[in-house]
Amino acid sequence: MSRARRGPHGARANAASGAFTGHFAGRSALVTGGGSGIGAALTRALVAAGAHVTCADLDLDAATRLCAAVAGPGTAHPAQVDVTDAEAVAAAVAAVVEDHGRIDLLFNNAGITFLGNTEDLTLAQWNAIIDVNVRGVVHGVHAAYPRMIAAGGGHIVNTASMGGLMAAGLMTSYVTTKHAVVGLSLALRTEAAAYGVGVSVVCPAAVDTPILDKGEIGDFRGRDYYLEGQGVKRPVDPDRLAARVLAGVAADEPFVVEPVQARVAWRLGRLSPGFVNRMATKFIAQQRAGADAR
Ligand code: NAD
């Protein structure tokens, strides 16, 4: 897959104008976790840009509903895939290759979260989040990357999180897995470049999807945690994020970090990691006090 470079106005301008559309027309894509939230928005954006998308999710009904509702010129087909099952992921990738001759784009996006004190997390929960958020991505890479090399190109897009770039507690298991996804993505990108395969990692702050209310342990509240932690009133709109992701892929950007507050916090964290860690410790104390008061 030939990869466009950043144009004179940059990828962000392209996202606003939809100028990346030509990059995706006729491309084959697999999106995991495509039935909800960010994966659903990616599926919609890809189909609108002319791509042929397999929308894979554990929740087949959600993927089916989403595919029935998307508008062309591309196409979307639902598939039930559990990303923790390596054979199921490999079969989904093989089906894309069988249908379209190659897999151009893989979005390793499925993910789960837990919010709570780490001492309350069971080993089963630790294993579950590692299985979905890390092994799920590994399974996608293992199945699709050799095929992209053989085809002479492609692009792998891994959804990590701001939790992959920065660290605050009460989401320690999530942060663990998302740091792994950022590391995998950046390392693989340096290998894959020689084969014409792009790798990008998506690191959003809070995005307005059902995950914000999932995985809460005890009296912690996801929305309070995410919005207060990031000092924003509203989470990012998933369709807006998807447009930014496609622009980033078209421009072969290593990172897509959204919104602007997240980019500022990320830079601050690199400039002064000790300061940011102290701020995060205070924030965790406030969140615990809020949970105790409920
Ligand atoms: P979501 O809960 O709306 O969607 C996640 C989807 O993944 C669901 O449809 C779910 O059925 C699917 N899924 C879960 N386990 C699966 C499995 N084993 N196999 C296949 N599918 C599975 O959440 P979302 O916000 O759209 O999350 C998508 C990705 O974005 C996740 O990796 C998440 O960590 C990441 N992310 C989300 C936010 C946010 O604030 N929403 C911020 C940063 C990163």
Side-chain angles (χ1 to χ4, degrees):
M1 184 180 188
S2 67
R3 283 176 281 128
R5 296 289 154 193
R6 190 182 272 267
H9 305 297
R12 225 153 276 136
N14 286 346
S17 67
F20 55 75
T21 301
H23 190 81
F24 298 98
R27 302 293 185 192
S28 59
L30 177 66
V31 179
T32 71
S36 175
I38 296 170
L42 287 169
T43 300
R44 281 192 291 272
L46 285 162
V47 171
H52 301 295
V53 183
T54 298
C55 175
D57 204 293
L58 194 55
D59 183 344
L60 180 61
D61 288 347
T64 304
R65 278 195 304 275
L66 190 273
C67 291
V70 294
T75 57
H77 298 287
Q80 186 167 35
V81 178
D82 180 348
V83 297
T84 69
D85 178 346
E87 283 179 16
V89 175
V93 169
V96 174
V97 175
E98 200 174 316
D99 289 350
H100 302 284
R102 53 191 282 158
I103 178 162
D104 293 311
L105 298 150
L106 170 65
F107 292 80
N108 286 311
N109 169 78
I112 61 170
T113 187
F114 293 112
L115 174 67
N117 286 308
T118 299
E119 63 270 30
D120 295 333
L121 217 59
T122 66
L123 201 50
Q125 288 170 322
W126 268 107
N127 287 334
I129 200 165
I130 291 168
D131 279 346
V132 178
N133 293 8
V134 183
R135 287 207 174 83
V137 176
V138 170
H139 294 157
V141 168
H142 183 255
Y145 179 51
R147 290 180 182 270
M148 289 179 176
I149 293 173
H155 207 114
I156 296 173
V157 186
N158 298 325
T159 307
S161 163
M162 269 308 282
L165 299 174
M166 301 187 75
L170 301 176
M171 295 202 75
T172 298
S173 63
Y174 184 80
V175 166
T176 303
T177 62
K178 295 301 186 178
H179 270 64
V181 173
V182 170
L184 182 159
S185 305
L186 293 180
L188 184 63
R189 182 180 167 89
T190 66
E191 278 186 56
Y195 302 120
V197 177
V199 181
S200 302
V201 63
V202 181
C203 298
V207 184
D208 200 355
T209 77
I211 209 173
L212 297 184
D213 304 305
K214 292 181 186 171
E216 294 164 337
I217 297 170
D219 290 316
F220 294 101
R221 293 291 167 264
R223 275 172 201 271
D224 296 346
Y225 179 97
Y226 303 120
L227 300 185
E228 284 167 25
Q230 290 152 18
V232 294
K233 286 206 177 86
R234 230 172 266 123
V236 176
D237 174 66
D239 289 305
R240 210 181 147 84
L241 176 68
R244 263 295 293 129
V245 172
L246 294 205
V249 171
D252 192 25
E253 292 178 12
F255 295 97
V256 175
V257 181
E258 286 293 321
V260 64
Q261 290 92 336
R263 292 194 292 278
V264 170
W266 177 34
R267 296 220 157 82
L268 183 63
R270 286 190 295 175
L271 278 174
S272 188
F275 170 73
V276 168
N277 192 256
R278 284 193 296 281
M279 297 278 289
T281 305
K282 273 192 191 158
F283 167 68
I284 296 309
Q286 285 160 4
Q287 290 295 309
R288 281 183 167 147
D292 288 347
R294 276 186 201 109

mmCIF file of all heavy atoms in Angstrom, residues 189-223:
data_model
loop_
_atom_site.group_PDB
_atom_site.id
_atom_site.type_symbol
_atom_site.label_atom_id
_atom_site.label_comp_id
_atom_site.label_asym_id
_atom_site.label_seq_id
_atom_site.Cartn_x
_atom_site.Cartn_y
_atom_site.Cartn_z
ATOM 1 N N ARG A 189 7.107 -0.606 14.155
ATOM 2 C CA ARG A 189 7.169 0.414 13.093
ATOM 3 C C ARG A 189 8.581 0.512 12.502
ATOM 4 O O ARG A 189 8.735 0.663 11.299
ATOM 5 C CB ARG A 189 6.721 1.764 13.669
ATOM 6 C CG ARG A 189 6.691 2.896 12.665
ATOM 7 C CD ARG A 189 6.226 4.188 13.318
ATOM 8 N NE ARG A 189 6.488 5.301 12.439
ATOM 9 C CZ ARG A 189 5.656 5.762 11.514
ATOM 10 N NH1 ARG A 189 4.488 5.205 11.345
ATOM 11 N NH2 ARG A 189 5.988 6.786 10.742
ATOM 12 N N THR A 190 9.595 0.404 13.372
ATOM 13 C CA THR A 190 10.972 0.544 12.878
ATOM 14 C C THR A 190 11.401 -0.655 12.032
ATOM 15 O O THR A 190 12.233 -0.523 11.152
ATOM 16 C CB THR A 190 11.969 0.729 14.044
ATOM 17 O OG1 THR A 190 12.011 -0.469 14.818
ATOM 18 C CG2 THR A 190 11.598 1.898 14.940
ATOM 19 N N GLU A 191 10.813 -1.827 12.316
ATOM 20 C CA GLU A 191 11.095 -3.004 11.485
ATOM 21 C C GLU A 191 10.311 -2.987 10.197
ATOM 22 O O GLU A 191 10.797 -3.388 9.139
ATOM 23 C CB GLU A 191 10.635 -4.275 12.228
ATOM 24 C CG GLU A 191 11.559 -4.843 13.252
ATOM 25 C CD GLU A 191 10.992 -6.173 13.756
ATOM 26 O OE1 GLU A 191 10.731 -7.085 12.953
ATOM 27 O OE2 GLU A 191 10.807 -6.276 14.964
ATOM 28 N N ALA A 192 9.048 -2.571 10.314
ATOM 29 C CA ALA A 192 8.091 -2.732 9.221
ATOM 30 C C ALA A 192 8.338 -1.753 8.084
ATOM 31 O O ALA A 192 7.957 -2.025 6.940
ATOM 32 C CB ALA A 192 6.674 -2.551 9.765
ATOM 33 N N ALA A 193 8.988 -0.628 8.408
ATOM 34 C CA ALA A 193 9.205 0.417 7.397
ATOM 35 C C ALA A 193 9.919 -0.149 6.170
ATOM 36 O O ALA A 193 9.595 0.202 5.029
ATOM 37 C CB ALA A 193 10.015 1.560 8.007
ATOM 38 N N ALA A 194 10.868 -1.055 6.394
ATOM 39 C CA ALA A 194 11.651 -1.605 5.280
ATOM 40 C C ALA A 194 10.773 -2.409 4.326
ATOM 41 O O ALA A 194 11.146 -2.623 3.168
ATOM 42 C CB ALA A 194 12.775 -2.489 5.827
ATOM 43 N N TYR A 195 9.625 -2.862 4.801
ATOM 44 C CA TYR A 195 8.715 -3.662 3.957
ATOM 45 C C TYR A 195 7.576 -2.818 3.379
ATOM 46 O O TYR A 195 6.657 -3.366 2.790
ATOM 47 C CB TYR A 195 8.101 -4.803 4.777
ATOM 48 C CG TYR A 195 9.100 -5.744 5.408
ATOM 49 C CD1 TYR A 195 9.145 -5.907 6.786
ATOM 50 C CD2 TYR A 195 9.972 -6.480 4.615
ATOM 51 C CE1 TYR A 195 10.045 -6.784 7.373
ATOM 52 C CE2 TYR A 195 10.877 -7.358 5.190
ATOM 53 C CZ TYR A 195 10.908 -7.502 6.576
ATOM 54 O OH TYR A 195 11.794 -8.368 7.138
ATOM 55 N N GLY A 196 7.589 -1.520 3.658
ATOM 56 C CA GLY A 196 6.486 -0.679 3.187
ATOM 57 C C GLY A 196 5.229 -0.830 4.019
ATOM 58 O O GLY A 196 4.140 -0.457 3.604
ATOM 59 N N VAL A 197 5.393 -1.428 5.216
ATOM 60 C CA VAL A 197 4.240 -1.594 6.114
ATOM 61 C C VAL A 197 4.289 -0.484 7.169
ATOM 62 O O VAL A 197 5.303 -0.315 7.848
ATOM 63 C CB VAL A 197 4.257 -2.984 6.797
ATOM 64 C CG1 VAL A 197 3.100 -3.120 7.792
ATOM 65 C CG2 VAL A 197 4.193 -4.095 5.741
ATOM 66 N N GLY A 198 3.200 0.247 7.303
ATOM 67 C CA GLY A 198 3.130 1.309 8.299
ATOM 68 C C GLY A 198 2.567 0.785 9.614
ATOM 69 O O GLY A 198 1.809 -0.186 9.635
ATOM 70 N N VAL A 199 2.981 1.396 10.693
ATOM 71 C CA VAL A 199 2.410 1.067 12.013
ATOM 72 C C VAL A 199 2.136 2.386 12.729
ATOM 73 O O VAL A 199 3.029 3.236 12.834
ATOM 74 C CB VAL A 199 3.369 0.200 12.864
ATOM 75 C CG1 VAL A 199 2.711 -0.138 14.211
ATOM 76 C CG2 VAL A 199 3.761 -1.084 12.133
ATOM 77 N N SER A 200 0.920 2.546 13.199
ATOM 78 C CA SER A 200 0.550 3.753 13.949
ATOM 79 C C SER A 200 -0.117 3.337 15.242
ATOM 80 O O SER A 200 -0.787 2.306 15.295
ATOM 81 C CB SER A 200 -0.430 4.615 13.149
ATOM 82 O OG SER A 200 0.122 4.983 11.904
ATOM 83 N N VAL A 201 0.048 4.167 16.262
ATOM 84 C CA VAL A 201 -0.609 3.868 17.533
ATOM 85 C C VAL A 201 -1.495 5.054 17.903
ATOM 86 O O VAL A 201 -1.092 6.212 17.791
ATOM 87 C CB VAL A 201 0.412 3.485 18.637
ATOM 88 C CG1 VAL A 201 1.368 4.615 18.986
ATOM 89 C CG2 VAL A 201 -0.293 2.985 19.887
ATOM 90 N N VAL A 202 -2.722 4.724 18.295
ATOM 91 C CA VAL A 202 -3.726 5.742 18.607
ATOM 92 C C VAL A 202 -3.808 5.874 20.118
ATOM 93 O O VAL A 202 -4.035 4.887 20.826
ATOM 94 C CB VAL A 202 -5.100 5.329 18.020
ATOM 95 C CG1 VAL A 202 -6.142 6.394 18.317
ATOM 96 C CG2 VAL A 202 -4.984 5.077 16.518
ATOM 97 N N CYS A 203 -3.592 7.090 20.610
ATOM 98 C CA CYS A 203 -3.556 7.323 22.057
ATOM 99 C C CYS A 203 -4.523 8.438 22.433
ATOM 100 O O CYS A 203 -4.101 9.571 22.695
ATOM 101 C CB CYS A 203 -2.133 7.680 22.485
ATOM 102 S SG CYS A 203 -0.948 6.363 22.163
ATOM 103 N N PRO A 204 -5.799 8.134 22.487
ATOM 104 C CA PRO A 204 -6.747 9.174 22.874
ATOM 105 C C PRO A 204 -6.890 9.280 24.377
ATOM 106 O O PRO A 204 -6.683 8.309 25.113
ATOM 107 C CB PRO A 204 -8.067 8.711 22.250
ATOM 108 C CG PRO A 204 -7.917 7.255 21.999
ATOM 109 C CD PRO A 204 -6.462 6.884 22.111
ATOM 110 N N ALA A 205 -7.266 10.475 24.836
ATOM 111 C CA ALA A 205 -7.795 10.630 26.192
ATOM 112 C C ALA A 205 -9.246 10.139 26.134
ATOM 113 O O ALA A 205 -9.599 9.394 25.228
ATOM 114 C CB ALA A 205 -7.674 12.088 26.606
ATOM 115 N N ALA A 206 -10.087 10.551 27.070
ATOM 116 C CA ALA A 206 -11.447 9.999 27.124
ATOM 117 C C ALA A 206 -12.214 10.252 25.830
ATOM 118 O O ALA A 206 -12.250 11.374 25.327
ATOM 119 C CB ALA A 206 -12.193 10.619 28.292
ATOM 120 N N VAL A 207 -12.803 9.200 25.309
ATOM 121 C CA VAL A 207 -13.635 9.264 24.111
ATOM 122 C C VAL A 207 -15.040 8.833 24.524
ATOM 123 O O VAL A 207 -15.184 7.913 25.356
ATOM 124 C CB VAL A 207 -13.082 8.328 23.006
ATOM 125 C CG1 VAL A 207 -13.891 8.466 21.728
ATOM 126 C CG2 VAL A 207 -11.603 8.607 22.750
ATOM 127 N N ASP A 208 -16.036 9.473 23.967
ATOM 128 C CA ASP A 208 -17.411 9.242 24.425
ATOM 129 C C ASP A 208 -17.954 7.911 23.896
ATOM 130 O O ASP A 208 -18.633 7.852 22.872
ATOM 131 C CB ASP A 208 -18.301 10.406 23.968
ATOM 132 C CG ASP A 208 -19.569 10.474 24.802
ATOM 133 O OD1 ASP A 208 -19.779 9.584 25.642
ATOM 134 O OD2 ASP A 208 -20.336 11.428 24.610
ATOM 135 N N THR A 209 -17.624 6.843 24.590
ATOM 136 C CA THR A 209 -18.067 5.498 24.190
ATOM 137 C C THR A 209 -18.533 4.751 25.451
ATOM 138 O O THR A 209 -18.233 5.179 26.577
ATOM 139 C CB THR A 209 -16.915 4.693 23.549
ATOM 140 O OG1 THR A 209 -16.046 4.233 24.599
ATOM 141 C CG2 THR A 209 -16.124 5.491 22.533
ATOM 142 N N PRO A 210 -19.186 3.613 25.268
ATOM 143 C CA PRO A 210 -19.671 2.857 26.437
ATOM 144 C C PRO A 210 -18.564 2.425 27.403
ATOM 145 O O PRO A 210 -18.838 2.175 28.582
ATOM 146 C CB PRO A 210 -20.349 1.636 25.800
ATOM 147 C CG PRO A 210 -20.783 2.119 24.445
ATOM 148 C CD PRO A 210 -19.703 3.075 23.998
ATOM 149 N N ILE A 211 -17.319 2.362 26.950
ATOM 150 C CA ILE A 211 -16.254 1.875 27.839
ATOM 151 C C ILE A 211 -16.103 2.780 29.070
ATOM 152 O O ILE A 211 -15.630 2.333 30.119
ATOM 153 C CB ILE A 211 -14.904 1.745 27.079
ATOM 154 C CG1 ILE A 211 -14.027 0.630 27.705
ATOM 155 C CG2 ILE A 211 -14.126 3.042 27.080
ATOM 156 C CD1 ILE A 211 -12.761 0.310 26.932
ATOM 157 N N LEU A 212 -16.506 4.054 28.945
ATOM 158 C CA LEU A 212 -16.346 4.987 30.066
ATOM 159 C C LEU A 212 -17.110 4.527 31.308
ATOM 160 O O LEU A 212 -16.793 4.940 32.421
ATOM 161 C CB LEU A 212 -16.810 6.399 29.677
ATOM 162 C CG LEU A 212 -16.031 7.093 28.559
ATOM 163 C CD1 LEU A 212 -16.541 8.513 28.361
ATOM 164 C CD2 LEU A 212 -14.534 7.118 28.848
ATOM 165 N N ASP A 213 -18.130 3.698 31.111
ATOM 166 C CA ASP A 213 -18.931 3.235 32.252
ATOM 167 C C ASP A 213 -18.720 1.745 32.529
ATOM 168 O O ASP A 213 -19.473 1.144 33.291
ATOM 169 C CB ASP A 213 -20.422 3.506 31.972
ATOM 170 C CG ASP A 213 -20.674 4.976 31.666
ATOM 171 O OD1 ASP A 213 -20.293 5.821 32.492
ATOM 172 O OD2 ASP A 213 -21.206 5.278 30.575
ATOM 173 N N LYS A 214 -17.701 1.158 31.906
ATOM 174 C CA LYS A 214 -17.469 -0.284 32.096
ATOM 175 C C LYS A 214 -16.308 -0.517 33.061
ATOM 176 O O LYS A 214 -15.454 0.355 33.230
ATOM 177 C CB LYS A 214 -17.129 -0.945 30.754
ATOM 178 C CG LYS A 214 -18.275 -0.988 29.756
ATOM 179 C CD LYS A 214 -17.812 -1.695 28.465
ATOM 180 C CE LYS A 214 -18.858 -1.640 27.375
ATOM 181 N NZ LYS A 214 -18.309 -2.140 26.079
ATOM 182 N N GLY A 215 -16.272 -1.700 33.627
ATOM 183 C CA GLY A 215 -15.108 -2.154 34.394
ATOM 184 C C GLY A 215 -14.912 -1.448 35.716
ATOM 185 O O GLY A 215 -13.813 -1.489 36.293
ATOM 186 N N GLU A 216 -15.970 -0.778 36.213
ATOM 187 C CA GLU A 216 -15.821 -0.052 37.481
ATOM 188 C C GLU A 216 -15.834 -1.051 38.635
ATOM 189 O O GLU A 216 -16.717 -1.901 38.728
ATOM 190 C CB GLU A 216 -16.972 0.956 37.640
ATOM 191 C CG GLU A 216 -16.914 2.065 36.587
ATOM 192 C CD GLU A 216 -18.220 2.837 36.458
ATOM 193 O OE1 GLU A 216 -19.277 2.267 36.835
ATOM 194 O OE2 GLU A 216 -18.198 3.977 35.979
ATOM 195 N N ILE A 217 -14.849 -0.945 39.511
ATOM 196 C CA ILE A 217 -14.756 -1.837 40.672
ATOM 197 C C ILE A 217 -14.989 -0.979 41.921
ATOM 198 O O ILE A 217 -14.305 0.036 42.102
ATOM 199 C CB ILE A 217 -13.370 -2.510 40.727
ATOM 200 C CG1 ILE A 217 -13.172 -3.390 39.471
ATOM 201 C CG2 ILE A 217 -13.217 -3.358 41.992
ATOM 202 C CD1 ILE A 217 -11.751 -3.895 39.308
ATOM 203 N N GLY A 218 -15.948 -1.395 42.747
ATOM 204 C CA GLY A 218 -16.258 -0.600 43.943
ATOM 205 C C GLY A 218 -16.980 0.672 43.554
ATOM 206 O O GLY A 218 -17.786 0.701 42.616
ATOM 207 N N ASP A 219 -16.677 1.781 44.242
ATOM 208 C CA ASP A 219 -17.439 3.024 44.061
ATOM 209 C C ASP A 219 -16.768 4.022 43.132
ATOM 210 O O ASP A 219 -17.117 5.204 43.131
ATOM 211 C CB ASP A 219 -17.691 3.666 45.437
ATOM 212 C CG ASP A 219 -18.688 2.850 46.241
ATOM 213 O OD1 ASP A 219 -19.708 2.432 45.649
ATOM 214 O OD2 ASP A 219 -18.439 2.602 47.435
ATOM 215 N N PHE A 220 -15.808 3.576 42.366
ATOM 216 C CA PHE A 220 -15.172 4.498 41.416
ATOM 217 C C PHE A 220 -16.083 4.682 40.208
ATOM 218 O O PHE A 220 -16.810 3.759 39.814
ATOM 219 C CB PHE A 220 -13.804 3.957 40.991
ATOM 220 C CG PHE A 220 -12.833 3.928 42.125
ATOM 221 C CD1 PHE A 220 -12.552 2.752 42.797
ATOM 222 C CD2 PHE A 220 -12.244 5.107 42.566
ATOM 223 C CE1 PHE A 220 -11.681 2.736 43.878
ATOM 224 C CE2 PHE A 220 -11.370 5.100 43.646
ATOM 225 C CZ PHE A 220 -11.082 3.914 44.305
ATOM 226 N N ARG A 221 -16.056 5.882 39.646
ATOM 227 C CA ARG A 221 -16.903 6.202 38.493
ATOM 228 C C ARG A 221 -16.026 6.613 37.331
ATOM 229 O O ARG A 221 -15.285 7.596 37.410
ATOM 230 C CB ARG A 221 -17.872 7.347 38.844
ATOM 231 C CG ARG A 221 -18.905 6.973 39.873
ATOM 232 C CD ARG A 221 -19.934 5.955 39.329
ATOM 233 N NE ARG A 221 -20.721 5.385 40.393
ATOM 234 C CZ ARG A 221 -20.466 4.205 40.999
ATOM 235 N NH1 ARG A 221 -19.443 3.468 40.615
ATOM 236 N NH2 ARG A 221 -21.233 3.756 41.958
ATOM 237 N N GLY A 222 -16.152 5.860 36.225
ATOM 238 C CA GLY A 222 -15.291 6.074 35.065
ATOM 239 C C GLY A 222 -15.329 7.501 34.543
ATOM 240 O O GLY A 222 -14.301 8.130 34.347
ATOM 241 N N ARG A 223 -16.545 8.014 34.317
ATOM 242 C CA ARG A 223 -16.647 9.353 33.716
ATOM 243 C C ARG A 223 -15.983 10.406 34.602
ATOM 244 O O ARG A 223 -15.281 11.289 34.116
ATOM 245 C CB ARG A 223 -18.108 9.718 33.441
ATOM 246 C CG ARG A 223 -18.552 9.176 32.119
ATOM 247 C CD ARG A 223 -19.997 9.310 31.832
ATOM 248 N NE ARG A 223 -20.331 8.325 30.814
ATOM 249 C CZ ARG A 223 -20.251 8.559 29.509
ATOM 250 N NH1 ARG A 223 -19.926 9.741 29.053
ATOM 251 N NH2 ARG A 223 -20.514 7.601 28.652
#
